[in-house]
Amino acid sequence: MPNILMLRPADGNETAGAYKIAILNRKRPSVLALSRQKLPQLPGTSIEGVEKGGYIVSDNSTGNKPDLIVMSTGSELEIVAKAADELRKEGKTVRVVSFVCWELFDEQSDEYKESVLPEAVTGRISIEAG
């Protein structure tokens, strides 16, 4: 839908951030898609990260060069975080990215987008509902 912010938070921190965005953003409507199931508070999520639309939740790589970037939104972020933990046990460097709002992420500077999703890293997996 044009000119709308679709926000899908993963936990309480991101829900607070999404609510803040919806209240402060008066020039376009916002949709907060919340889960019905009980979700844990995830390490690394933040209210401030939501303002960027997508941000790094965890990363055990150095030099902005993880072996793999796994990304998700909403309740699936918990699954991604657990999968990343398992891959790290196997010696992989993995970055977990939460994409609460693609529209906000697209509005960020190219430098910011490159810092979250470096073009040189081609190993990427997205886990979504459906």
Short mmCIF file of all heavy atoms in Angstrom, two decimals, residues 41-108:
data_model
loop_
_atom_site.label_atom_id
_atom_site.label_comp_id
_atom_site.label_asym_id
_atom_site.label_seq_id
_atom_site.Cartn_x
_atom_site.Cartn_y
_atom_site.Cartn_z
N GLN A 41 11.43 -11.63 25.38
CA GLN A 41 12.22 -10.43 25.13
C GLN A 41 13.56 -10.92 24.58
O GLN A 41 14.23 -11.72 25.22
CB GLN A 41 12.41 -9.66 26.44
CG GLN A 41 12.97 -8.30 26.27
CD GLN A 41 12.02 -7.38 25.53
OE1 GLN A 41 10.81 -7.47 25.65
NE2 GLN A 41 12.58 -6.49 24.75
N LEU A 42 13.93 -10.49 23.39
CA LEU A 42 15.15 -10.98 22.73
C LEU A 42 16.35 -10.08 23.04
O LEU A 42 16.22 -8.85 22.99
CB LEU A 42 14.94 -11.05 21.22
CG LEU A 42 13.84 -12.00 20.75
CD1 LEU A 42 13.58 -11.82 19.27
CD2 LEU A 42 14.21 -13.43 21.06
N PRO A 43 17.50 -10.68 23.32
CA PRO A 43 18.70 -9.87 23.53
C PRO A 43 19.05 -9.11 22.24
O PRO A 43 18.97 -9.66 21.15
CB PRO A 43 19.79 -10.90 23.85
CG PRO A 43 19.10 -12.18 24.10
CD PRO A 43 17.75 -12.11 23.47
N GLY A 44 19.40 -7.85 22.39
CA GLY A 44 19.85 -7.08 21.24
C GLY A 44 18.79 -6.24 20.56
O GLY A 44 19.12 -5.38 19.74
N THR A 45 17.51 -6.47 20.86
CA THR A 45 16.48 -5.63 20.25
C THR A 45 16.46 -4.28 20.94
O THR A 45 16.88 -4.15 22.10
CB THR A 45 15.08 -6.27 20.33
OG1 THR A 45 14.72 -6.46 21.71
CG2 THR A 45 15.03 -7.58 19.58
N SER A 46 15.97 -3.26 20.22
CA SER A 46 15.96 -1.92 20.83
C SER A 46 14.86 -1.05 20.25
O SER A 46 14.44 -1.23 19.11
CB SER A 46 17.31 -1.23 20.62
OG SER A 46 17.46 -0.82 19.29
N ILE A 47 14.44 -0.12 21.08
CA ILE A 47 13.46 0.88 20.65
C ILE A 47 14.09 1.73 19.55
O ILE A 47 13.46 2.02 18.53
CB ILE A 47 13.03 1.75 21.85
CG1 ILE A 47 12.24 0.90 22.85
CG2 ILE A 47 12.22 2.95 21.39
CD1 ILE A 47 11.97 1.58 24.18
N GLU A 48 15.35 2.13 19.73
CA GLU A 48 16.04 3.00 18.78
C GLU A 48 16.26 2.31 17.43
O GLU A 48 16.22 2.96 16.39
CB GLU A 48 17.38 3.46 19.35
CG GLU A 48 17.28 4.26 20.63
CD GLU A 48 17.02 3.40 21.87
OE1 GLU A 48 17.32 2.20 21.86
OE2 GLU A 48 16.49 3.95 22.85
N GLY A 49 16.50 1.01 17.45
CA GLY A 49 16.72 0.28 16.20
C GLY A 49 15.51 0.33 15.28
O GLY A 49 15.64 0.38 14.06
N VAL A 50 14.33 0.33 15.87
CA VAL A 50 13.09 0.36 15.09
C VAL A 50 13.03 1.62 14.24
O VAL A 50 12.53 1.59 13.12
CB VAL A 50 11.86 0.25 16.02
CG1 VAL A 50 10.57 0.43 15.24
CG2 VAL A 50 11.86 -1.08 16.76
N GLU A 51 13.56 2.71 14.74
CA GLU A 51 13.54 3.97 14.00
C GLU A 51 14.26 3.87 12.66
O GLU A 51 13.97 4.62 11.74
CB GLU A 51 14.14 5.08 14.85
CG GLU A 51 13.34 5.38 16.09
CD GLU A 51 14.02 6.36 17.03
OE1 GLU A 51 15.06 6.94 16.65
OE2 GLU A 51 13.49 6.55 18.13
N LYS A 52 15.20 2.95 12.54
CA LYS A 52 15.94 2.73 11.30
C LYS A 52 15.23 1.74 10.38
O LYS A 52 15.63 1.55 9.24
CB LYS A 52 17.34 2.22 11.59
CG LYS A 52 18.18 3.15 12.44
CD LYS A 52 18.66 4.32 11.61
CE LYS A 52 19.69 5.12 12.37
NZ LYS A 52 20.21 6.22 11.59
N GLY A 53 14.21 1.07 10.88
CA GLY A 53 13.47 0.10 10.07
C GLY A 53 14.07 -1.28 10.12
O GLY A 53 13.38 -2.27 10.29
N GLY A 54 15.38 -1.38 9.97
CA GLY A 54 16.11 -2.64 10.08
C GLY A 54 17.42 -2.37 10.77
O GLY A 54 18.05 -1.33 10.54
N TYR A 55 17.83 -3.29 11.62
CA TYR A 55 19.06 -3.08 12.37
C TYR A 55 19.64 -4.42 12.83
O TYR A 55 18.95 -5.45 12.83
CB TYR A 55 18.81 -2.16 13.57
CG TYR A 55 17.90 -2.76 14.63
CD1 TYR A 55 18.44 -3.30 15.79
CD2 TYR A 55 16.53 -2.79 14.46
CE1 TYR A 55 17.62 -3.86 16.77
CE2 TYR A 55 15.70 -3.34 15.42
CZ TYR A 55 16.26 -3.87 16.57
OH TYR A 55 15.44 -4.44 17.53
N ILE A 56 20.90 -4.38 13.23
CA ILE A 56 21.60 -5.59 13.65
C ILE A 56 21.24 -5.89 15.10
O ILE A 56 21.42 -5.06 15.98
CB ILE A 56 23.13 -5.42 13.51
CG1 ILE A 56 23.48 -5.15 12.04
CG2 ILE A 56 23.87 -6.65 14.05
CD1 ILE A 56 24.91 -4.69 11.83
N VAL A 57 20.76 -7.11 15.32
CA VAL A 57 20.40 -7.57 16.66
C VAL A 57 21.59 -8.26 17.31
O VAL A 57 21.87 -8.09 18.49
CB VAL A 57 19.17 -8.50 16.61
CG1 VAL A 57 18.88 -9.10 17.97
CG2 VAL A 57 17.96 -7.75 16.09
N SER A 58 22.30 -9.08 16.54
CA SER A 58 23.50 -9.74 17.04
C SER A 58 24.43 -10.04 15.87
O SER A 58 23.98 -10.20 14.74
CB SER A 58 23.17 -11.01 17.81
OG SER A 58 22.63 -11.99 16.95
N ASP A 59 25.73 -10.11 16.16
CA ASP A 59 26.72 -10.34 15.11
C ASP A 59 28.02 -10.79 15.77
O ASP A 59 28.55 -10.08 16.62
CB ASP A 59 26.94 -9.05 14.32
CG ASP A 59 27.78 -9.22 13.07
OD1 ASP A 59 28.35 -10.32 12.88
OD2 ASP A 59 27.86 -8.26 12.30
N ASN A 60 28.52 -11.94 15.39
CA ASN A 60 29.80 -12.40 15.94
C ASN A 60 30.93 -12.30 14.91
O ASN A 60 31.97 -12.91 15.08
CB ASN A 60 29.68 -13.83 16.48
CG ASN A 60 29.47 -14.88 15.40
OD1 ASN A 60 28.84 -14.60 14.38
ND2 ASN A 60 29.99 -16.06 15.62
N SER A 61 30.72 -11.51 13.86
CA SER A 61 31.74 -11.35 12.83
C SER A 61 32.60 -10.12 13.13
O SER A 61 32.27 -9.32 14.00
CB SER A 61 31.10 -11.20 11.45
OG SER A 61 30.42 -9.96 11.33
N THR A 62 33.66 -9.98 12.37
CA THR A 62 34.52 -8.79 12.47
C THR A 62 34.64 -8.18 11.07
O THR A 62 34.51 -8.87 10.06
CB THR A 62 35.92 -9.14 12.99
OG1 THR A 62 36.51 -10.12 12.15
CG2 THR A 62 35.86 -9.66 14.42
N GLY A 63 34.87 -6.89 11.04
CA GLY A 63 35.09 -6.22 9.76
C GLY A 63 33.90 -6.19 8.84
O GLY A 63 34.06 -6.08 7.63
N ASN A 64 32.68 -6.27 9.39
CA ASN A 64 31.46 -6.22 8.58
C ASN A 64 31.43 -7.31 7.52
O ASN A 64 30.95 -7.10 6.41
CB ASN A 64 31.30 -4.83 7.95
CG ASN A 64 29.84 -4.50 7.63
OD1 ASN A 64 28.92 -5.01 8.27
ND2 ASN A 64 29.63 -3.64 6.66
N LYS A 65 31.96 -8.52 7.88
CA LYS A 65 32.02 -9.62 6.91
C LYS A 65 31.56 -10.95 7.53
O LYS A 65 32.35 -11.88 7.66
CB LYS A 65 33.44 -9.77 6.38
CG LYS A 65 33.92 -8.59 5.59
CD LYS A 65 35.31 -8.80 5.07
CE LYS A 65 35.76 -7.57 4.31
NZ LYS A 65 37.13 -7.66 3.86
N PRO A 66 30.29 -11.05 7.90
CA PRO A 66 29.82 -12.33 8.41
C PRO A 66 29.74 -13.38 7.29
O PRO A 66 29.63 -13.02 6.11
CB PRO A 66 28.43 -12.01 8.96
CG PRO A 66 27.99 -10.83 8.16
CD PRO A 66 29.23 -10.05 7.86
N ASP A 67 29.78 -14.64 7.66
CA ASP A 67 29.57 -15.71 6.67
C ASP A 67 28.15 -15.68 6.15
O ASP A 67 27.90 -15.98 4.98
CB ASP A 67 29.83 -17.09 7.31
CG ASP A 67 31.27 -17.29 7.74
OD1 ASP A 67 32.17 -16.79 7.03
OD2 ASP A 67 31.48 -17.93 8.79
N LEU A 68 27.22 -15.33 7.03
CA LEU A 68 25.80 -15.40 6.70
C LEU A 68 25.05 -14.29 7.42
O LEU A 68 25.35 -13.97 8.57
CB LEU A 68 25.26 -16.77 7.15
CG LEU A 68 23.79 -17.06 6.93
CD1 LEU A 68 23.45 -17.13 5.44
CD2 LEU A 68 23.43 -18.38 7.61
N ILE A 69 24.07 -13.72 6.72
CA ILE A 69 23.14 -12.78 7.34
C ILE A 69 21.77 -13.45 7.36
O ILE A 69 21.28 -13.88 6.31
CB ILE A 69 23.06 -11.45 6.55
CG1 ILE A 69 24.41 -10.76 6.50
CG2 ILE A 69 22.01 -10.53 7.18
CD1 ILE A 69 24.46 -9.54 5.60
N VAL A 70 21.20 -13.57 8.55
CA VAL A 70 19.84 -14.11 8.68
C VAL A 70 18.96 -12.96 9.15
O VAL A 70 19.34 -12.19 10.03
CB VAL A 70 19.76 -15.32 9.63
CG1 VAL A 70 20.45 -16.52 9.02
CG2 VAL A 70 20.34 -15.02 10.99
N MET A 71 17.81 -12.83 8.52
CA MET A 71 16.95 -11.69 8.82
C MET A 71 15.50 -12.13 8.91
O MET A 71 15.11 -13.15 8.33
CB MET A 71 17.12 -10.61 7.77
CG MET A 71 17.04 -11.08 6.36
SD MET A 71 17.77 -9.90 5.20
CE MET A 71 18.74 -11.00 4.23
N SER A 72 14.74 -11.34 9.66
CA SER A 72 13.34 -11.67 9.85
C SER A 72 12.60 -10.48 10.43
O SER A 72 13.21 -9.45 10.75
CB SER A 72 13.21 -12.88 10.77
OG SER A 72 11.89 -13.35 10.76
N THR A 73 11.30 -10.66 10.60
CA THR A 73 10.46 -9.66 11.26
C THR A 73 9.55 -10.37 12.25
O THR A 73 9.31 -11.57 12.14
CB THR A 73 9.58 -8.89 10.26
OG1 THR A 73 8.66 -9.82 9.66
CG2 THR A 73 10.37 -8.22 9.18
N GLY A 74 9.04 -9.62 13.19
CA GLY A 74 8.03 -10.14 14.10
C GLY A 74 8.43 -11.39 14.84
O GLY A 74 9.58 -11.57 15.23
N SER A 75 7.47 -12.27 15.03
CA SER A 75 7.66 -13.47 15.85
C SER A 75 8.71 -14.42 15.29
O SER A 75 9.30 -15.20 16.03
CB SER A 75 6.33 -14.21 16.02
OG SER A 75 5.79 -14.58 14.77
N GLU A 76 9.00 -14.33 14.01
CA GLU A 76 10.02 -15.21 13.42
C GLU A 76 11.44 -14.81 13.81
O GLU A 76 12.37 -15.58 13.65
CB GLU A 76 9.88 -15.25 11.89
CG GLU A 76 8.68 -16.02 11.40
CD GLU A 76 7.38 -15.27 11.64
OE1 GLU A 76 7.35 -14.04 11.48
OE2 GLU A 76 6.39 -15.93 12.01
N LEU A 77 11.63 -13.61 14.35
CA LEU A 77 12.96 -13.20 14.76
C LEU A 77 13.51 -14.13 15.85
O LEU A 77 14.70 -14.42 15.88
CB LEU A 77 12.96 -11.75 15.25
CG LEU A 77 14.34 -11.15 15.50
CD1 LEU A 77 15.16 -11.10 14.21
CD2 LEU A 77 14.22 -9.76 16.09
N GLU A 78 12.66 -14.64 16.70
CA GLU A 78 13.09 -15.59 17.73
C GLU A 78 13.67 -16.85 17.07
O GLU A 78 14.71 -17.36 17.50
CB GLU A 78 11.93 -15.96 18.64
CG GLU A 78 12.29 -17.00 19.68
CD GLU A 78 11.10 -17.48 20.49
OE1 GLU A 78 9.94 -17.23 20.11
OE2 GLU A 78 11.35 -18.13 21.52
N ILE A 79 13.03 -17.33 16.02
CA ILE A 79 13.51 -18.52 15.30
C ILE A 79 14.87 -18.24 14.68
O ILE A 79 15.79 -19.06 14.74
CB ILE A 79 12.48 -18.94 14.23
CG1 ILE A 79 11.17 -19.35 14.89
CG2 ILE A 79 13.03 -20.06 13.35
CD1 ILE A 79 10.01 -19.46 13.92
N VAL A 80 15.01 -17.08 14.06
CA VAL A 80 16.26 -16.68 13.43
C VAL A 80 17.39 -16.60 14.46
O VAL A 80 18.51 -17.07 14.21
CB VAL A 80 16.08 -15.34 12.69
CG1 VAL A 80 17.41 -14.70 12.34
CG2 VAL A 80 15.26 -15.55 11.43
N ALA A 81 17.10 -16.02 15.61
CA ALA A 81 18.12 -15.89 16.66
C ALA A 81 18.59 -17.26 17.14
O ALA A 81 19.79 -17.49 17.33
CB ALA A 81 17.57 -15.07 17.82
N LYS A 82 17.66 -18.21 17.29
CA LYS A 82 18.04 -19.57 17.71
C LYS A 82 18.85 -20.28 16.62
O LYS A 82 19.82 -20.97 16.91
CB LYS A 82 16.78 -20.38 18.05
CG LYS A 82 16.14 -19.95 19.36
CD LYS A 82 14.89 -20.75 19.64
CE LYS A 82 14.23 -20.31 20.94
NZ LYS A 82 12.99 -21.04 21.21
N ALA A 83 18.46 -20.09 15.38
CA ALA A 83 19.20 -20.70 14.27
C ALA A 83 20.61 -20.14 14.20
O ALA A 83 21.58 -20.88 13.98
CB ALA A 83 18.47 -20.46 12.95
N ALA A 84 20.75 -18.84 14.42
CA ALA A 84 22.07 -18.21 14.40
C ALA A 84 22.95 -18.78 15.51
O ALA A 84 24.14 -19.05 15.29
CB ALA A 84 21.93 -16.69 14.56
N ASP A 85 22.37 -19.00 16.68
CA ASP A 85 23.13 -19.59 17.79
C ASP A 85 23.66 -20.97 17.42
O ASP A 85 24.80 -21.32 17.71
CB ASP A 85 22.27 -19.68 19.05
CG ASP A 85 22.01 -18.32 19.69
OD1 ASP A 85 22.75 -17.36 19.38
OD2 ASP A 85 21.07 -18.23 20.50
N GLU A 86 22.83 -21.77 16.76
CA GLU A 86 23.25 -23.11 16.34
C GLU A 86 24.37 -23.04 15.30
O GLU A 86 25.33 -23.80 15.34
CB GLU A 86 22.06 -23.92 15.80
CG GLU A 86 21.03 -24.28 16.85
CD GLU A 86 21.62 -25.11 17.98
OE1 GLU A 86 22.37 -26.07 17.71
OE2 GLU A 86 21.32 -24.79 19.16
N LEU A 87 24.24 -22.12 14.35
CA LEU A 87 25.27 -21.96 13.32
C LEU A 87 26.59 -21.47 13.93
O LEU A 87 27.66 -21.88 13.50
CB LEU A 87 24.79 -20.98 12.25
CG LEU A 87 23.68 -21.51 11.34
CD1 LEU A 87 23.05 -20.38 10.55
CD2 LEU A 87 24.21 -22.59 10.42
N ARG A 88 26.50 -20.63 14.93
CA ARG A 88 27.71 -20.15 15.60
C ARG A 88 28.42 -21.29 16.32
O ARG A 88 29.65 -21.31 16.38
CB ARG A 88 27.36 -19.03 16.57
CG ARG A 88 26.96 -17.75 15.85
CD ARG A 88 26.49 -16.68 16.82
NE ARG A 88 26.08 -15.49 16.08
CZ ARG A 88 25.04 -14.75 16.40
NH1 ARG A 88 24.32 -15.02 17.47
NH2 ARG A 88 24.73 -13.70 15.67
N LYS A 89 27.66 -22.23 16.87
CA LYS A 89 28.26 -23.40 17.51
C LYS A 89 29.07 -24.22 16.51
O LYS A 89 30.00 -24.93 16.89
CB LYS A 89 27.18 -24.28 18.15
CG LYS A 89 26.55 -23.68 19.38
CD LYS A 89 25.44 -24.57 19.91
CE LYS A 89 24.69 -23.91 21.04
NZ LYS A 89 23.53 -24.72 21.48
N GLU A 90 28.72 -24.13 15.24
CA GLU A 90 29.42 -24.84 14.17
C GLU A 90 30.59 -24.02 13.62
O GLU A 90 31.20 -24.39 12.62
CB GLU A 90 28.46 -25.20 13.05
CG GLU A 90 27.36 -26.16 13.47
CD GLU A 90 26.35 -26.42 12.38
OE1 GLU A 90 26.58 -25.99 11.21
OE2 GLU A 90 25.32 -27.05 12.67
N GLY A 91 30.86 -22.87 14.23
CA GLY A 91 32.00 -22.06 13.83
C GLY A 91 31.70 -20.98 12.79
O GLY A 91 32.62 -20.34 12.29
N LYS A 92 30.45 -20.78 12.46
CA LYS A 92 30.09 -19.75 11.48
C LYS A 92 29.97 -18.38 12.13
O LYS A 92 29.65 -18.26 13.31
CB LYS A 92 28.74 -20.08 10.82
CG LYS A 92 28.70 -21.40 10.10
CD LYS A 92 29.48 -21.33 8.84
CE LYS A 92 29.34 -22.65 8.09
NZ LYS A 92 30.28 -22.73 7.00
N THR A 93 30.27 -17.35 11.35
CA THR A 93 29.99 -15.98 11.81
C THR A 93 28.66 -15.58 11.20
O THR A 93 28.45 -15.67 9.99
CB THR A 93 31.10 -15.00 11.40
OG1 THR A 93 31.27 -15.01 10.00
CG2 THR A 93 32.41 -15.35 12.09
N VAL A 94 27.74 -15.17 12.07
CA VAL A 94 26.37 -14.93 11.65
C VAL A 94 25.89 -13.58 12.19
O VAL A 94 26.09 -13.27 13.37
CB VAL A 94 25.43 -16.05 12.17
CG1 VAL A 94 24.00 -15.81 11.69
CG2 VAL A 94 25.92 -17.42 11.73
N ARG A 95 25.25 -12.83 11.32
CA ARG A 95 24.61 -11.57 11.70
C ARG A 95 23.10 -11.79 11.68
O ARG A 95 22.55 -12.30 10.71
CB ARG A 95 24.99 -10.48 10.71
CG ARG A 95 24.24 -9.17 10.95
CD ARG A 95 24.72 -8.09 10.04
NE ARG A 95 26.11 -7.78 10.41
CZ ARG A 95 26.88 -6.94 9.72
NH1 ARG A 95 26.42 -6.34 8.64
NH2 ARG A 95 28.11 -6.71 10.12
N VAL A 96 22.45 -11.37 12.75
CA VAL A 96 20.98 -11.41 12.83
C VAL A 96 20.47 -9.99 12.65
O VAL A 96 20.89 -9.07 13.36
CB VAL A 96 20.50 -11.99 14.18
CG1 VAL A 96 18.98 -11.92 14.29
CG2 VAL A 96 20.99 -13.43 14.35
N VAL A 97 19.55 -9.83 11.69
CA VAL A 97 19.00 -8.51 11.39
C VAL A 97 17.49 -8.55 11.56
O VAL A 97 16.82 -9.44 11.05
CB VAL A 97 19.35 -8.07 9.95
CG1 VAL A 97 18.69 -6.74 9.61
CG2 VAL A 97 20.85 -7.99 9.76
N SER A 98 16.97 -7.58 12.30
CA SER A 98 15.53 -7.42 12.46
C SER A 98 15.05 -6.35 11.49
O SER A 98 15.57 -5.24 11.49
CB SER A 98 15.20 -7.01 13.90
OG SER A 98 13.81 -6.78 14.03
N PHE A 99 14.07 -6.71 10.67
CA PHE A 99 13.47 -5.75 9.74
C PHE A 99 12.05 -5.46 10.20
O PHE A 99 11.09 -6.05 9.73
CB PHE A 99 13.47 -6.29 8.31
CG PHE A 99 14.77 -6.05 7.62
CD1 PHE A 99 15.67 -7.09 7.45
CD2 PHE A 99 15.11 -4.80 7.18
CE1 PHE A 99 16.89 -6.88 6.85
CE2 PHE A 99 16.34 -4.57 6.57
CZ PHE A 99 17.22 -5.62 6.40
N VAL A 100 11.94 -4.52 11.10
CA VAL A 100 10.64 -4.16 11.64
C VAL A 100 9.81 -3.44 10.58
O VAL A 100 8.60 -3.64 10.49
CB VAL A 100 10.80 -3.26 12.89
CG1 VAL A 100 9.46 -2.94 13.50
CG2 VAL A 100 11.72 -3.93 13.90
N CYS A 101 10.47 -2.62 9.77
CA CYS A 101 9.75 -1.81 8.77
C CYS A 101 10.64 -1.56 7.56
O CYS A 101 11.57 -0.75 7.61
CB CYS A 101 9.32 -0.49 9.39
SG CYS A 101 8.38 0.57 8.27
N TRP A 102 10.35 -2.25 6.47
CA TRP A 102 11.15 -2.10 5.24
C TRP A 102 11.09 -0.68 4.71
O TRP A 102 12.06 -0.16 4.17
CB TRP A 102 10.66 -3.07 4.17
CG TRP A 102 11.20 -4.44 4.36
CD1 TRP A 102 10.57 -5.49 4.96
CD2 TRP A 102 12.49 -4.92 3.96
NE1 TRP A 102 11.40 -6.59 4.97
CE2 TRP A 102 12.58 -6.27 4.35
CE3 TRP A 102 13.57 -4.33 3.31
CZ2 TRP A 102 13.70 -7.04 4.12
CZ3 TRP A 102 14.69 -5.09 3.08
CH2 TRP A 102 14.75 -6.43 3.48
N GLU A 103 9.95 -0.02 4.85
CA GLU A 103 9.81 1.34 4.33
C GLU A 103 10.79 2.29 5.03
O GLU A 103 11.44 3.10 4.38
CB GLU A 103 8.37 1.84 4.51
CG GLU A 103 7.34 1.08 3.69
CD GLU A 103 6.86 -0.22 4.35
OE1 GLU A 103 7.20 -0.47 5.52
OE2 GLU A 103 6.15 -0.98 3.68
N LEU A 104 10.90 2.17 6.34
CA LEU A 104 11.85 3.02 7.08
C LEU A 104 13.29 2.66 6.72
O LEU A 104 14.14 3.55 6.61
CB LEU A 104 11.64 2.89 8.59
CG LEU A 104 10.38 3.52 9.14
CD1 LEU A 104 10.23 3.19 10.63
CD2 LEU A 104 10.35 5.01 8.91
N PHE A 105 13.58 1.38 6.54
CA PHE A 105 14.93 0.97 6.17
C PHE A 105 15.32 1.56 4.82
O PHE A 105 16.42 2.05 4.63
CB PHE A 105 15.06 -0.55 6.14
CG PHE A 105 16.47 -1.03 5.88
CD1 PHE A 105 17.44 -0.94 6.85
CD2 PHE A 105 16.81 -1.56 4.65
CE1 PHE A 105 18.75 -1.36 6.61
CE2 PHE A 105 18.10 -1.99 4.39
CZ PHE A 105 19.08 -1.89 5.38
N ASP A 106 14.40 1.53 3.87
CA ASP A 106 14.67 2.07 2.54
C ASP A 106 14.96 3.57 2.57
O ASP A 106 15.64 4.09 1.68
CB ASP A 106 13.49 1.81 1.60
CG ASP A 106 13.44 0.38 1.12
OD1 ASP A 106 14.46 -0.34 1.21
OD2 ASP A 106 12.36 -0.04 0.65
N GLU A 107 14.50 4.27 3.58
CA GLU A 107 14.72 5.71 3.70
C GLU A 107 16.07 6.06 4.33
O GLU A 107 16.44 7.23 4.36
CB GLU A 107 13.60 6.33 4.54
CG GLU A 107 12.25 6.27 3.86
CD GLU A 107 11.10 6.69 4.75
OE1 GLU A 107 11.34 7.10 5.92
OE2 GLU A 107 9.95 6.59 4.30
N GLN A 108 16.81 5.06 4.79
CA GLN A 108 18.10 5.31 5.44
C GLN A 108 19.18 5.60 4.39
O GLN A 108 19.02 5.28 3.21
CB GLN A 108 18.51 4.13 6.31
CG GLN A 108 17.52 3.79 7.40
CD GLN A 108 17.13 4.96 8.25
OE1 GLN A 108 17.99 5.69 8.76
NE2 GLN A 108 15.83 5.18 8.41
#
